[in-house]
Amino acid sequence: MGIRLGAIADDFTGATDLANNLVRAGMRVVQLIDVPEDGGPENGGHGIVGDADAVVIALKSRTVPVAEAVDASLRALAWLRGAGAEQIYFKYCSTFDSTPAGNIGPVAEALMDALGTDFTVATPAFPDNGRTVFKGHLFVGDVLLSESGMRDHPLTPMTDSNLVDVLGAQTTRPVGLIDHTVLAAGADAVRARIDELRSGGAAFAIADAVSNDDLVRLGEAVRELPLVTAGSGLAIGLPANWGLQPSTAAAQLPPASGRQAIVSGSVSVATNGQVRAFLAGGRPAFSVDPLRIAAGADVAGEALAFADAHLADGPVLIYSTEAPDAVRGVQSRLGAAEAGELVERTLAEVARGLVARGVRQLVVAGGETSGAVVRALGVTGLRIGPQIDPGVPWCAATLPDGSPLHLALKSGNFGAPDFFTAAFALLEKS
């Protein structure tokens, strides 16, 4: 039997976020890093897929040029269809990270064209993490998206909370709304609203969701759609369409061992708080300065020398996490793209060095950082395990030399303040 659900995620932490919710709902899930070069499981390729019910392909396409994002997404779609995927899920961030040029709209339209479908839904709602959609407007906790910390995002500042308008600016097709009153009336009412929007010429529908129950009803209603687009929240409503129910067996991983470390490149409010909490606990941490990297200092070497002195005593944090004003100051001197790339390359080198020093339990914070790290380590696939915090699971990988590695790839916006220490405590317990 081929896989039931094939997912395309536009960054690495978003992919694990989605996979985590699928596992919680009963699916056995494998996450692949980029599109595999082999022929796929139907031709005996990429054996890590094994008995998975769902495969999530993690791309790094959120902020690349539109044409690159579309090309990568279509290659992922071709691989998943070749593997037998019955439905495709395009996953983006729960804060709808994008610009007026894309990449959410252009990628979604390209996938629709390739699948020969004229309609899909869109909702970044994830109530477990405080992301809700009401009357088409996205809320982060108790505030509108445009009033949240995302308004200061260095690459995709979100200054409009009206998702009908945000998506409409990125697409050539009309965008409608399935509001909360329709969701509350059940799956049949949602299907009727979809038919109404379709007949009126809409190709997309932003769907409200203020609770998990809304997402479950939406998941049932979109059973027959070839393509769904969403954050990770909709995942809780899909496995039941194949008769699957929540099970702890879906999240089982091999036992963990080895040293522990955290690599953080996120500049989000949540990650800043997690770094502060780790420092307040008296744990060893090394701050990576982008300006010193740009000046030619061997910052990666300094970080690894620091780690050498502390790894034997427990988790070590290597971080480049600053408040928005500090980030803007660095970007004004180096440029936003150059500053980000310098930090990513350095932290990826640090992660490679940490693994060489026996780290086998590694937490990585930040989507772009996670992408750089898994590529640097040569990781090609992950088996998804137990949830640490909403949206963030532990995963098991095999390094190129055959040794095991447990990874937690955390979106910058996710996790409680004690996330870094709680992650290792959970892995030890499980």
Side-chain angles (χ1 to χ4, degrees):
M1 180 183 294
I3 59 175
R4 278 83 176 266
L5 183 68
I8 302 164
D10 66 0
D11 82 343
F12 287 78
T13 57
T16 53
D17 171 16
L18 169 61
N20 173 66
N21 277 348
L22 293 172
V23 167
R24 290 171 61 214
M27 277 187 156
R28 296 162 298 184
V29 183
V30 165
Q31 177 179 326
L32 303 180
I33 310 304
D34 287 327
V35 183
E37 296 181 359
D38 59 44
E42 80 285 4
N43 294 321
H46 221 80
I48 192 176
V49 171
D51 62 353
D53 301 305
V55 172
V56 180
I57 295 182
L59 304 177
K60 193 178 179 184
S61 57
R62 181 170 300 169
T63 57
V64 302
V66 170
E68 291 181 30
V70 168
D71 178 68
S73 300
L74 290 176
R75 286 188 291 108
L77 173 65
W79 193 95
L80 291 167
R81 294 178 78 185
E86 299 170 22
Q87 186 176 52
I88 300 298
Y89 190 132
F90 170 39
K91 194 274 175 193
Y92 36 75
C93 186
S94 65
T95 48
F96 218 66
D97 289 23
S98 52
T99 70
N103 292 338
I104 293 173
V107 168
E109 288 191 305
L111 295 174
M112 291 173 72
D113 290 342
L115 289 165
T117 185
D118 65 349
F119 190 87
T120 189
V121 296
T123 182
F126 188 5
D128 283 354
N129 255 338
R131 312 298 193 262
T132 55
V133 181
F134 181 73
K135 294 186 180 297
H137 289 72
L138 178 57
F139 286 78
V140 177
D142 295 328
V143 302
L144 287 164
L145 173 68
S146 55
E147 298 171 8
S148 74
M150 286 303 298
R151 67 180 176 229
D152 296 315
H153 193 284
L155 299 178
T156 52
M158 300 303 293
T159 58
D160 187 353
S161 304
N162 187 330
L163 299 186
V164 174
D165 290 345
V166 172
L167 184 57
Q170 302 177 31
T171 66
T172 61
R173 296 167 166 90
V175 181
L177 174 66
I178 303 172
D179 78 12
H180 65 102
T181 61
V182 175
L183 266 299
D188 287 342
V190 175
R191 281 188 282 264
R193 176 59 175 160
I194 287 174
D195 290 342
E196 179 185 6
L197 289 169
R198 258 180 156 153
S199 64
F204 293 92
I206 295 295
D208 279 0
V210 297
S211 69
N212 284 350
D213 288 343
D214 286 339
L215 292 173
V216 170
R217 287 187 282 264
L218 180 62
E220 180 184 351
V222 301
R223 180 198 307 249
E224 303 302 325
L225 292 184
L227 172 70
V228 295
T229 85
S232 66
L234 184 58
I236 68 173
L238 297 182
N241 291 340
W242 287 278
L244 298 172
Q245 298 297 324
S247 166
T248 56
Q252 288 181 345
L253 295 180
S257 61
R259 292 176 164 179
Q260 303 167 329
I262 305 131
V263 173
S264 176
S266 169
V267 297
S268 74
V269 173
T271 303
N272 269 305
Q274 289 152 7
V275 168
R276 288 195 298 269
F278 191 85
L279 295 173
R283 299 301 309 164
F286 181 94
S287 177
V288 170
D289 182 351
L291 296 177
R292 293 193 65 245
I293 301 171
D298 181 14
V299 175
E302 295 170 5
L304 290 170
F306 177 86
D308 285 334
H310 297 283
L311 276 172
D313 299 322
V316 171
L317 168 64
I318 311 297
Y319 69 101
S320 179
T321 301
E322 299 288 351
D325 287 346
V327 172
R328 283 190 289 268
V330 171
Q331 290 177 340
S332 68
R333 297 178 65 176
L334 301 179
E338 177 64 16
E341 289 172 5
L342 283 174
V343 171
E344 285 175 31
R345 286 198 302 268
T346 300
L347 292 179
E349 184 179 348
V350 168
R352 194 164 47 233
L354 290 169
V355 168
R357 287 159 170 78
V359 168
R360 292 295 180 270
Q361 302 173 48
L362 181 63
V363 173
V364 187
E368 301 300 315
T369 305
S370 293
V373 166
V374 294
R375 287 189 172 112
L377 295 178
V379 172
T380 60
L382 302 166
R383 187 76 187 215
I384 308 302
Q387 175 177 277
I388 305 164
D389 270 345
V392 195
W394 273 109
C395 309
T398 301
L399 294 167
D401 65 1
S403 59
L405 175 68
H406 283 71
L407 272 170
L409 306 176
K410 187 193 82 72
S411 170
N413 295 305
F414 285 2
D418 67 345
F419 179 86
F420 293 152
T421 52
F424 296 113
L426 174 69
L427 192 57
E428 181 178 356
K429 179 180 178 182
S430 62

